[in-house]
Amino acid sequence: AEDTGVRVELAEEDDGRKASIALKLWVEDSRKLKGKYKDSGAIEFTFDIEREVPEGVAQEMVESGFFHESDAKIVGKSIRDRVALIKWRRERTVSSA
Amino acid sequence: NTATQVVTSAGRRFIVSPVPESRLKEQ
């Protein structure tokens, strides 16, 4: 995935079954963000990979004051990339089983 | 541990905790 400066990782091991997964997001390189970034640490949240949209979570982070509006896109993309990887891994596990 | 919780108007919970130094890129 592209280096967006925002890192998203699984906050717990993926059992491959739950639609709701725990993710952890933090800023690795604030120079890649357009807006002013307040260093608030790692943000942990649950995400439903079947029903939720990464950009929606990014928007909620903006509304909560974690990121500037101009960075909603980059945050959404970072979550989207990680979710795509998790889905890909799950599909691969299913097809190899 | 200094984790804090933020609940959004949509009901989502964000748990904020410090990032370990080792996980940060050198700036």
Side-chain angles (χ1 to χ4, degrees):
Chain A
E2 191 191 319
D3 185 6
T4 57
V6 177
R7 183 121 179 131
V8 184
E9 283 191 358
L10 275 166
E12 61 182 18
E13 215 174 305
D14 182 23
D15 68 358
R17 289 192 296 263
K18 277 190 293 183
S20 184
I21 51 173
L23 295 175
K24 202 170 204 173
L25 177 151
W26 69 92
V27 173
E28 221 172 28
D29 188 354
S30 59
R31 290 169 301 186
K32 298 214 169 177
L33 298 177
K34 293 188 198 110
K36 215 174 187 181
Y37 168 69
K38 186 182 77 186
D39 185 18
S40 44
I43 309 163
E44 206 176 310
F45 57 99
T46 53
F47 184 82
D48 189 316
I49 60 171
E50 279 160 20
R51 289 184 302 185
E52 288 189 294
V53 182
E55 287 73 15
V57 184
Q59 194 54 46
E60 284 188 64
M61 286 181 181
V62 169
E63 281 160 22
S64 302
F66 293 119
F67 295 100
H68 190 268
E69 181 75 54
S70 58
D71 290 314
K73 225 171 152 179
I74 212 166
V75 175
K77 189 198 180 322
S78 310
I79 300 170
R80 182 170 288 278
D81 285 351
R82 174 58 60 185
V83 169
L85 184 69
I86 293 164
K87 281 186 174 172
W88 177 80
R89 268 203 207 128
R90 282 187 172 193
E91 278 163 22
R92 215 178 50 156
T93 311
V94 169
S95 59
S96 69
Chain B
N1 250 342
T2 51
T4 53
Q5 265 193 47
V6 176
V7 181
T8 70
S9 53
R12 182 186 300 279
R13 186 171 302 170
F14 290 129
I15 301 163
V16 185
S17 57
V19 184
E21 289 278 326
S22 58
R23 309 308 301 268
L24 291 172
K25 263 187 188 172
E26 273 183 41
Q27 302 272 320

